[in-house]
Amino acid sequence: MNQNGQHSELVDEYIASFPADVQLKLQRLRQIIQEAAPLAEEKISYKMPTYAQHGNLVHFAAYTKHIGFYPAPSGILAFKEQLSRFKGAKGSVQFPLDEPLPENLIREIVEFRMKENVERNQR
């Protein structure tokens, strides 16, 4: 949600540009992020849905066979073991479209990134 509690129309448009089955997964991912970070600003950054509070928290993007989730390198490192079954890189992980989203793990990562950003902002 953006700062006035509204969904970003740009994120609505982004999600609407995908097939219906992918839209459902993207909407669920969006919901999980918003529940874990209710005060985060929702926007488009780097051409992806982005959630920010005291700096960027996470981004996501849909591709042909997966959803890319970008919680910054620190978010990947902190959950390295739990993410090990997924393809990924330094700051990203790929959730295959033909598998359920790891909802609890996503929630934990977003909460970790929130805590990290708040602590960094207080220094």
Side-chain angles (χ1 to χ4, degrees):
M1 295 203 186
N2 60 27
Q3 291 171 329
N4 61 8
Q6 299 295 309
H7 288 297
S8 163
E9 288 180 22
L10 294 174
V11 174
D12 290 339
E13 291 170 16
Y14 178 90
I15 291 172
S17 72
F18 292 93
D21 58 331
V22 177
Q23 286 182 41
L24 289 174
K25 282 196 180 261
L26 295 174
Q27 289 288 12
R28 181 63 188 137
L29 179 55
R30 181 189 210 183
Q31 182 182 4
I32 293 165
I33 294 167
Q34 290 173 336
E35 288 169 359
L39 301 177
E41 176 190 5
E42 182 181 73
K43 60 186 180 177
I44 294 287
S45 185
Y46 305 105
K47 298 182 181 177
M48 294 183 274
T50 299
Y51 298 82
Q53 189 169 346
H54 303 295
N56 287 340
L57 296 171
V58 297
H59 312 268
F60 66 81
Y63 299 93
T64 307
K65 296 183 188 266
H66 71 275
I67 293 173
F69 185 63
Y70 306 89
S74 61
I76 296 296
L77 190 60
F79 294 87
K80 186 176 175 180
E81 195 172 305
Q82 297 97 312
L83 293 169
S84 64
R85 69 181 196 92
F86 300 104
K87 286 185 187 176
K90 183 178 169 190
S92 66
V93 62
Q94 296 179 9
F95 299 131
L97 287 174
D98 61 356
E99 293 181 25
L101 288 170
E103 295 186 9
N104 290 333
L105 179 56
I106 292 166
R107 187 173 287 107
E108 287 178 39
I109 292 170
V110 173
E111 289 169 352
F112 169 83
R113 290 285 298 124
M114 279 273 303
K115 185 174 182 252
E116 189 175 53
N117 277 9
V118 167
E119 287 173 1
R120 187 180 63 233
N121 195 52
Q122 290 174 345
R123 284 187 206 142

